[in-house]
Amino acid sequence: MTEQPEKIAQQWLDACCETLARYDHEAHMNLISRSVRVFGVPGFEVIGYDDWHAQSEYEFGEKLIQSASYEGLELLNHDPEHIRFMTTETIAAVDGTVDSHPIEILLTREQDGQWRVTEERLLNRDKTGAGASDP
């Protein structure tokens, strides 16, 4: 029986939150593809795996993030190897700062069978996903 794309996406989001809550950098990075590309981060054209690894290693090591949560999973499209969805990500830092924004995520089933994020796009709050490319 094939798993539902919504369930796979939710399990991936839950795993992101759990690895962050445990400050388990190795497990967290296992959720991220080595070919990941992140778009829409102010001041950066594209963020890749090495950038994500270094930033999260610092944040986990210093325990700067209090929590992460995701709300409102909206499936955009999927096929057996890709799941594209939107959600709202909220990151609470230990200094009291809370950053919440909509994001679009593309998960890809990689050769080892693990679902990993291969693309993430931070969206403007008024973005509806129009113009999002297919997997």
Side-chain angles (χ1 to χ4, degrees):
M1 184 166 116
T2 305
E3 282 191 272
Q4 296 291 331
E6 294 91 345
K7 183 176 179 184
I8 293 166
Q10 188 61 57
Q11 288 172 339
W12 185 87
L13 292 171
D14 292 346
C16 283
C17 294
E18 291 164 10
T19 58
L20 192 147
R22 295 190 320 264
Y23 298 110
D24 187 340
H25 187 250
E26 183 179 340
H28 185 75
M29 291 310 298
N30 191 42
L31 301 168
I32 316 303
S33 174
R34 291 200 175 269
S35 63
V36 70
R37 297 172 304 157
V38 180
F39 302 97
V41 177
F44 297 91
E45 188 172 328
V46 178
I47 291 176
Y49 180 87
D50 291 341
D51 300 314
W52 191 321
H53 185 280
Q55 181 66 27
S56 62
E57 185 173 49
Y58 170 73
E59 290 172 347
F60 282 40
E62 298 294 318
K63 295 182 171 43
L64 298 177
I65 306 297
Q66 180 178 332
S67 67
S69 62
Y70 298 92
E71 186 177 320
L73 191 151
E74 178 186 343
L75 190 65
L76 298 176
N77 53 53
H78 62 90
D79 63 36
E81 303 301 318
H82 304 92
I83 302 169
R84 185 177 298 275
F85 63 95
M86 289 177 34
T87 187
T88 298
E89 175 181 66
T90 301
I91 304 291
V94 294
D95 68 1
T97 306
V98 177
D99 183 29
S100 183
H101 51 268
I103 59 174
E104 180 181 312
I105 294 174
L106 175 63
L107 297 181
T108 301
R109 186 192 329 247
E110 295 196 325
Q111 288 188 347
D112 64 358
Q114 174 79 32
W115 288 94
R116 293 187 178 92
V117 61
T118 51
E119 186 177 302
E120 184 172 311
R121 186 176 310 274
L122 279 68
L123 304 172
N124 295 329
R125 296 197 190 289
D126 60 351
K127 193 79 147 185
T128 62
S133 60
D134 290 337

